[in-house]
Each structure stands twice: as C-alpha cells, then as structure tokens.
Amino acid sequence: MNSDSDLSIAGDLLEVQHLLQPARPHPTTVAEFAGLARTVAADRDRWAPLVRYDTTTRWYHRLHTGPGYELWLLSWVPGQGSGRHDHGLSSGVLTVLAGELTEHTERGTHTLRPGAQHVSAPGHVHEVVNDSLEGAVSLHIYYPGLTDMPMHTARCSPATQNPITA
Ligand SMILES: [Fe+2]
C-alpha cells in the first residue's frame, strides 16, 4: 500500500473495466506522442520503402496526420543539415530511424542514434546535421502541425554563449 495516498485498490483492476478510461484514438500527451513515434519506428515496412535520398535538398514526406499533429519522414545524406531554427509554437518529437544525427544547441551537442528520441518545446532553437558518413532517416512529430520554422542566423558557442556567425 502506498502510504502517500488514501486510495487503495483491492483485487484485479482489469476486472473493473467501467473504471478504466477507453483508449484514446489519438495521442495527446508527450508520452503518447513518443509512443506513437516508437510504434511507427518499429514498423519498418511502413516507412523504409518511402525513403528517398536527395543530394540537392533534404528530402521529406508527410507520413501521417491526425487532429492537430503531423508525422514527417526525413532523410539526410552526409553533410546535410537543417540550419539553425526553431519550430514556432509547435512541440516536436524527433526519433532517429536509421543512421546518426547530431543536434547542436547553445547548451551543447548531442548525437542521436536509432531509437533515440528528442522532445522539444515550442521555441527550442537547434540545428540538426548528419555529420556521419552514412545516410540517416528521422521521424518528426509536430503538435500542433508545423506552420512556422523561423531560421536563426547567429550561432551560440556553448563555451562562451556569445553569438557567432553560423
Ligand atoms: Fe527542428
């Protein structure tokens, strides 16, 4: 029994279905969006045949939409990057499906490998780059759907926090 709560449940919770919430048809929480991304990531037959690599521009494909959210599939050839940007009012869940991506922020650099998930709040400024020698594929969920992606020209050095020209 949890001593921090006055609530206790005796017996099998699954026997009281009327107390359980029905499964929601669409994600509404960060955990549910991250779970949706993991489900899609595991379904390689769904996304792998769609992937294209384009050396002239980053390739992207809208994989799915739901009420207020979108899933985008992106590919990155070595050296391709997003430029420094934020996602306006959208929150995001980035999941690497194949290869390796590097995220640069003013707080440092993170390497994202398959299975890694990165959640960003509205206004989070970052730059994502394929610094590897192999192609990479990523899945991006935006809620609400991405309508604005302001680019940032200045880049902050993690060591000095001073803006330098990107
Ligand atoms: Fe981004």
CSV table of all heavy atoms in Angstrom, one decimal, residues 58 76 82-83 85-87 94 103 120 124-128 140 142 146 149, ligand 1:
chain,number,residue,atom,x,y,z
A,58,ARG,N,17.3,18.4,-48.6
A,58,ARG,CA,16.8,17.4,-47.6
A,58,ARG,C,15.4,16.9,-48.1
A,58,ARG,O,14.5,17.7,-48.4
A,58,ARG,CB,16.7,17.9,-46.2
A,58,ARG,CG,18.0,17.9,-45.5
A,58,ARG,CD,17.8,18.3,-44.1
A,58,ARG,NE,17.2,19.5,-43.9
A,58,ARG,CZ,16.2,19.7,-43.1
A,58,ARG,NH1,15.7,18.8,-42.3
A,58,ARG,NH2,15.6,20.9,-43.0
A,76,TRP,N,18.5,12.3,-44.7
A,76,TRP,CA,19.7,13.2,-44.6
A,76,TRP,C,20.9,12.5,-45.2
A,76,TRP,O,21.3,11.5,-44.7
A,76,TRP,CB,20.0,13.5,-43.1
A,76,TRP,CG,18.8,13.9,-42.3
A,76,TRP,CD1,17.8,13.1,-41.9
A,76,TRP,CD2,18.6,15.1,-41.6
A,76,TRP,NE1,16.9,13.7,-41.1
A,76,TRP,CE2,17.4,15.0,-40.9
A,76,TRP,CE3,19.3,16.3,-41.6
A,76,TRP,CZ2,16.9,16.1,-40.1
A,76,TRP,CZ3,18.8,17.4,-40.8
A,76,TRP,CH2,17.6,17.3,-40.1
A,82,SER,N,19.8,21.1,-41.1
A,82,SER,CA,18.6,21.8,-41.1
A,82,SER,C,18.8,23.3,-41.1
A,82,SER,O,17.9,24.1,-41.3
A,82,SER,CB,17.8,21.5,-39.8
A,82,SER,OG,18.5,21.9,-38.6
A,83,GLY,N,20.0,23.7,-40.7
A,83,GLY,CA,20.2,25.1,-40.4
A,83,GLY,C,19.7,25.4,-39.0
A,83,GLY,O,18.9,24.5,-38.4
A,85,HIS,N,17.3,26.7,-36.3
A,85,HIS,CA,15.9,27.1,-36.4
A,85,HIS,C,15.2,26.8,-35.1
A,85,HIS,O,15.7,26.1,-34.2
A,85,HIS,CB,15.3,26.4,-37.6
A,85,HIS,CG,15.2,24.9,-37.3
A,85,HIS,ND1,16.3,24.0,-37.5
A,85,HIS,CD2,14.2,24.1,-36.9
A,85,HIS,CE1,15.9,22.8,-37.2
A,85,HIS,NE2,14.7,22.8,-36.8
A,86,ASP,N,13.9,27.2,-35.0
A,86,ASP,CA,13.0,26.7,-34.0
A,86,ASP,C,11.7,26.3,-34.7
A,86,ASP,O,11.6,26.4,-35.9
A,86,ASP,CB,12.8,27.7,-32.9
A,86,ASP,CG,12.0,29.0,-33.3
A,86,ASP,OD1,10.9,28.8,-33.8
A,86,ASP,OD2,12.6,30.1,-33.2
A,87,HIS,N,10.8,25.8,-33.9
A,87,HIS,CA,9.5,25.3,-34.5
A,87,HIS,C,8.3,26.1,-34.2
A,87,HIS,O,7.2,25.6,-34.1
A,87,HIS,CB,9.3,23.9,-34.1
A,87,HIS,CG,10.5,23.0,-34.4
A,87,HIS,ND1,11.1,22.2,-33.4
A,87,HIS,CD2,11.1,22.7,-35.5
A,87,HIS,CE1,12.1,21.5,-33.9
A,87,HIS,NE2,12.2,21.8,-35.2
A,94,LEU,N,11.4,14.1,-32.1
A,94,LEU,CA,12.4,13.7,-33.1
A,94,LEU,C,12.8,12.3,-32.8
A,94,LEU,O,13.3,12.1,-31.7
A,94,LEU,CB,13.5,14.6,-33.3
A,94,LEU,CG,14.6,14.5,-34.4
A,94,LEU,CD1,15.5,15.7,-34.4
A,94,LEU,CD2,15.4,13.2,-34.3
A,103,GLU,N,22.6,16.9,-33.0
A,103,GLU,CA,21.9,18.1,-32.7
A,103,GLU,C,22.8,19.1,-32.0
A,103,GLU,O,23.5,18.8,-31.0
A,103,GLU,CB,20.7,17.8,-31.8
A,103,GLU,CG,19.9,19.1,-31.5
A,103,GLU,CD,19.0,19.0,-30.3
A,103,GLU,OE1,19.3,18.4,-29.3
A,103,GLU,OE2,17.9,19.7,-30.4
A,120,SER,N,11.1,18.4,-28.0
A,120,SER,CA,11.5,19.9,-28.0
A,120,SER,C,10.2,20.7,-27.7
A,120,SER,O,9.1,20.4,-28.3
A,120,SER,CB,12.2,20.3,-29.2
A,120,SER,OG,11.4,20.1,-30.4
A,124,HIS,N,12.2,26.0,-28.9
A,124,HIS,CA,13.6,25.4,-28.8
A,124,HIS,C,14.4,25.6,-30.0
A,124,HIS,O,13.9,25.3,-31.1
A,124,HIS,CB,13.4,23.9,-28.5
A,124,HIS,CG,14.7,23.1,-28.5
A,124,HIS,ND1,15.6,23.3,-27.5
A,124,HIS,CD2,15.2,22.2,-29.4
A,124,HIS,CE1,16.7,22.5,-27.8
A,124,HIS,NE2,16.4,21.8,-28.9
A,125,VAL,N,15.6,26.2,-29.9
A,125,VAL,CA,16.4,26.5,-31.0
A,125,VAL,C,17.5,25.4,-31.2
A,125,VAL,O,18.2,25.1,-30.2
A,125,VAL,CB,17.1,27.9,-30.9
A,125,VAL,CG1,18.0,28.2,-32.0
A,125,VAL,CG2,16.0,29.0,-30.7
A,126,HIS,N,17.6,24.9,-32.3
A,126,HIS,CA,18.6,23.9,-32.6
A,126,HIS,C,19.0,23.8,-34.1
A,126,HIS,O,18.3,24.4,-34.9
A,126,HIS,CB,18.1,22.5,-32.0
A,126,HIS,CG,17.0,21.8,-32.8
A,126,HIS,ND1,16.7,20.5,-32.7
A,126,HIS,CD2,16.2,22.3,-33.8
A,126,HIS,CE1,15.7,20.2,-33.5
A,126,HIS,NE2,15.4,21.3,-34.1
A,127,GLU,N,20.0,23.0,-34.3
A,127,GLU,CA,20.4,22.7,-35.7
A,127,GLU,C,20.7,21.2,-35.7
A,127,GLU,O,21.4,20.7,-34.8
A,127,GLU,CB,21.7,23.5,-36.0
A,127,GLU,CG,22.2,23.2,-37.4
A,127,GLU,CD,23.4,24.1,-37.8
A,127,GLU,OE1,23.9,24.7,-36.9
A,127,GLU,OE2,23.7,24.0,-39.0
A,128,VAL,N,20.2,20.5,-36.7
A,128,VAL,CA,20.4,19.1,-36.8
A,128,VAL,C,21.1,18.8,-38.0
A,128,VAL,O,20.8,19.4,-39.1
A,128,VAL,CB,19.0,18.3,-36.8
A,128,VAL,CG1,19.2,16.8,-36.9
A,128,VAL,CG2,18.2,18.7,-35.5
A,140,HIS,N,9.6,12.9,-37.4
A,140,HIS,CA,9.3,14.1,-36.7
A,140,HIS,C,7.8,14.3,-36.5
A,140,HIS,O,7.1,14.2,-37.5
A,140,HIS,CB,9.9,15.3,-37.4
A,140,HIS,CG,11.3,15.3,-37.7
A,140,HIS,ND1,12.3,16.1,-37.1
A,140,HIS,CD2,12.0,14.4,-38.5
A,140,HIS,CE1,13.5,15.8,-37.5
A,140,HIS,NE2,13.4,14.8,-38.4
A,142,TYR,N,5.0,16.8,-35.0
A,142,TYR,CA,4.8,18.2,-34.6
A,142,TYR,C,3.4,18.4,-34.1
A,142,TYR,O,2.4,17.9,-34.7
A,142,TYR,CB,5.1,19.2,-35.7
A,142,TYR,CG,6.5,19.2,-36.1
A,142,TYR,CD1,6.9,18.6,-37.4
A,142,TYR,CD2,7.6,19.7,-35.3
A,142,TYR,CE1,8.2,18.6,-37.8
A,142,TYR,CE2,8.9,19.6,-35.7
A,142,TYR,CZ,9.2,19.1,-37.0
A,142,TYR,OH,10.5,19.0,-37.4
A,146,LEU,N,3.4,21.8,-37.9
A,146,LEU,CA,4.4,22.8,-38.1
A,146,LEU,C,3.9,23.8,-39.2
A,146,LEU,O,3.7,23.5,-40.3
A,146,LEU,CB,5.7,22.2,-38.6
A,146,LEU,CG,7.0,23.0,-38.5
A,146,LEU,CD1,7.3,23.5,-37.1
A,146,LEU,CD2,8.1,22.2,-39.1
A,149,MET,N,8.7,27.9,-39.1
A,149,MET,CA,10.0,27.4,-38.7
A,149,MET,C,11.1,28.5,-38.9
A,149,MET,O,11.8,28.5,-39.9
A,149,MET,CB,10.4,26.1,-39.6
A,149,MET,CG,11.6,25.4,-39.0
A,149,MET,SD,11.9,23.8,-39.8
A,149,MET,CE,13.4,24.2,-40.6
B,1,FE,FE,14.0,21.1,-35.8
